[in-house]
Amino acid sequence: NAGVTQTPKFQVLKTGQSMTLQCAQDMNHNSMYWYRQDPGMGLRLIYYSASEGTTDKGEVPNGYNVSRLNKREFSLRLESAAPSQTSVYFCASSDPGLAGGDEQFFGPGTRLTVL
Amino acid sequence: GEDVEQSLFLSVREGDSSVINCTYTDSSSTYLYWYKQEPGAGLQLLTYIFSNMDMKQDQRLTVLLNKKDKHLSLRIADTQTGDSAIYFCAETPGTYKYIFGTGTRLKVLA
């Protein structure tokens, strides 16, 4: 099992450009998440998808859109990138309700720089 | 607010114990978690504790929970250089709602 995979690993954009970050999981999890990680701020939730066909805003959704393409895939789109979106982006998946709580499984991250 | 607080840095000598502290905000969290992030990687679950427990031991890891003070700690016994990483605590005040702390960077000196 590959777990959670993300592409690309690195990306540099100019202000105003758009791009889509891809995420896929092979653990048959129902829920998927997008986080951003900034120094000294921990991880902040951008959007999540509780199950296939649903998406909801997290703590910092402005400037982003998401698509839950199917159970495996959850993409994050920046329509018009801004320097404030320079960050490391993590995708995660989980199956809430299983015994032991809600362990989140993380991808390796995408390091995005917006100039 | 919903800030989960941790100190930013901790430095220990190899073989010593490390204690990483966390103050969380929501007493309704059923589980509290500790995740580890190695350089260039995503987070991985280290351990978790159910909210009705005071302590959980898992090999070199001991988690202590003080619900009255909303304080969570992670003790790593016999700390090794491979334990150098960033450690995040997290609370889950609701389904799909995960709030991570700011992370503590542990540096283990040989």
Side-chain angles (χ1 to χ4, degrees):
Chain A
N1 284 353
V4 180
T5 57
Q6 292 183 235
T7 54
K9 288 195 184 333
F10 301 94
Q11 183 71 50
V12 178
L13 293 178
K14 293 182 180 176
T15 297
Q17 287 185 315
S18 62
M19 78 161 295
T20 300
L21 282 65
Q22 307 286 354
C23 173
Q25 52 95 6
D26 62 2
M27 295 172 283
N28 203 36
H29 285 163
N30 284 307
S31 304
M32 297 184 74
Y33 309 78
W34 276 105
Y35 293 91
R36 60 178 288 173
Q37 183 179 25
D38 301 294
M41 299 187 75
L43 274 74
R44 291 181 292 167
L45 182 65
I46 305 171
Y47 271 93
Y48 68 95
S49 169
S51 60
E52 187 179 355
T54 70
T55 61
D56 283 286
K57 294 178 181 179
E59 183 186 352
V60 288
N62 290 347
Y64 306 95
N65 284 301
V66 289
S67 295
R68 182 76 182 266
L69 304 167
N70 48 53
K71 193 170 186 180
R72 289 188 64 247
E73 298 172 288
F74 188 38
S75 63
L76 177 73
R77 182 159 179 84
L78 286 70
E79 289 292 350
S80 178
S84 60
Q85 294 178 303
T86 293
S87 188
V88 182
Y89 291 85
F90 288 100
C91 177
S93 71
S94 73
D95 229 352
L98 293 178
D102 180 18
E103 177 181 356
Q104 301 223 330
F105 293 81
F106 285 82
T110 295
R111 189 174 294 274
L112 175 67
T113 302
V114 183
L115 302 175
Chain B
E2 293 186 328
D3 290 338
V4 177
E5 296 186 352
Q6 301 177 237
S7 53
L8 288 181
F9 299 102
L10 176 65
S11 179
V12 300
R13 296 213 171 271
E14 193 173 20
D16 288 349
S17 292
S18 308
V19 179
I20 301 170
N21 294 302
C22 170
T23 302
Y24 62 96
T25 59
D26 196 315
S27 56
S28 68
S29 294
T30 305
Y31 293 93
L32 294 136
Y33 300 84
W34 284 103
Y35 281 80
K36 178 183 181 182
Q37 184 182 30
E38 297 190 358
L43 280 67
Q44 278 192 298
L45 181 68
L46 259 186
T47 187
Y48 65 91
I49 187 167
F50 191 50
S51 59
N52 70 353
M53 299 169 66
D54 297 325
M55 185 180 85
K56 179 180 179 182
Q57 189 133 11
D58 185 358
Q59 300 182 349
R60 291 191 297 123
L61 306 177
T62 303
V63 179
L64 295 177
L65 176 59
N66 180 330
K67 286 192 73 173
K68 175 176 169 289
D69 295 337
K70 295 182 186 169
H71 186 263
L72 182 72
S73 68
L74 173 70
R75 179 176 179 268
I76 306 172
D78 187 25
T79 313
Q80 302 298 308
T81 53
D83 294 324
S84 292
I86 303 176
Y87 292 81
F88 292 91
C89 63
E91 59 176 346
T92 51
T95 308
Y96 316 115
K97 192 169 186 183
Y98 234 86
I99 300 175
F100 287 90
T102 48
T104 299
R105 186 179 295 271
L106 174 65
K107 184 173 182 179
V108 182
L109 305 171

